């Protein structure tokens, strides 16, 4: 497989960004980290890749942005699902739905 470009836009104390970074590291995916100043001037890259919410984290994979940490985790699990890599979500649809429910519950509480 050719070298892929993976960039993560994040702000260091963000727990949402931390879960994305942990997932990439668990799957041993090389990525470039770009720090965002979420309280100051947001970069053009952030505004272009997440024009709706203008928030981090954003995963940019080969120029295609993916936003929202739970959606990013599902994307990572789908794109990098080789035989030797760790799966972040169960393959069983019911168990996967339960994981989504609890992730959403925790995010909102």
């Amino acid at each position: 497989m050719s070298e892929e470009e993976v960039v993560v836009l994040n702000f260091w104390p963000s727990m949402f960004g931390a879960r994305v970074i942990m997932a990439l590291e668990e799957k041993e995916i090389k990525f470039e980290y770009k720090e965002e100043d979420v309280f100051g001037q947001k970069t053009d890259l952030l505004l272009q890749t997440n024009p709706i919410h203008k928030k981090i984290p954003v995963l940019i994979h080969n120029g295609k942005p993916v936003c929202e940490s739970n959606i990013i985790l599902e994307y990572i699990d789908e794109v990098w699902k080789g035989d030797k890599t760790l799966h972040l979500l169960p393959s069983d649809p019911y168990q996967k739905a339960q994981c989504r429910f609890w992730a959403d519950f925790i995010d909102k509480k």
Side-chain angles (χ1 to χ4, degrees):
M1 181 182 279
S2 64
E3 189 67 26
E4 298 184 84
E5 181 184 68
V6 180
V7 178
V8 176
L9 305 181
N10 192 32
F11 180 61
W12 72 266
S14 168
M15 69 176 198
F16 302 107
R19 71 170 60 145
V20 171
I21 290 168
M22 287 188 287
L24 290 169
E25 289 176 348
E26 282 294 319
K27 287 190 166 262
E28 299 178 353
I29 300 164
K30 293 180 183 177
F31 64 95
E32 178 183 354
Y33 178 88
K34 292 191 177 184
E35 182 79 14
E36 287 289 330
D37 180 6
V38 296
F39 300 113
Q41 182 67 31
K42 295 180 181 180
T43 66
D44 289 340
L45 184 58
L46 176 61
L47 298 175
Q48 290 170 358
T49 55
N50 193 353
I52 304 298
H53 298 294
K54 301 173 180 78
K55 294 182 180 180
I56 51 95
V58 176
L59 175 84
I60 306 169
H61 179 221
N62 292 332
K64 299 174 188 171
V66 182
C67 305
E68 304 293 330
S69 62
N70 287 329
I71 295 169
I72 294 170
L73 294 181
E74 289 182 35
Y75 179 83
I76 290 169
D77 218 22
E78 285 294 317
V79 171
W80 291 281
K81 59 180 175 183
D83 295 334
K84 296 179 183 177
T85 61
L86 168 75
H87 295 283
L88 302 172
L89 296 169
S91 58
D92 177 71
Y94 178 76
Q95 291 176 341
K96 190 180 287 188
Q98 292 296 306
C99 287
R100 287 181 181 139
F101 170 82
W102 285 111
D104 183 62
F105 178 80
I106 290 167
D107 286 350
K108 290 178 179 172
K109 298 296 176 192

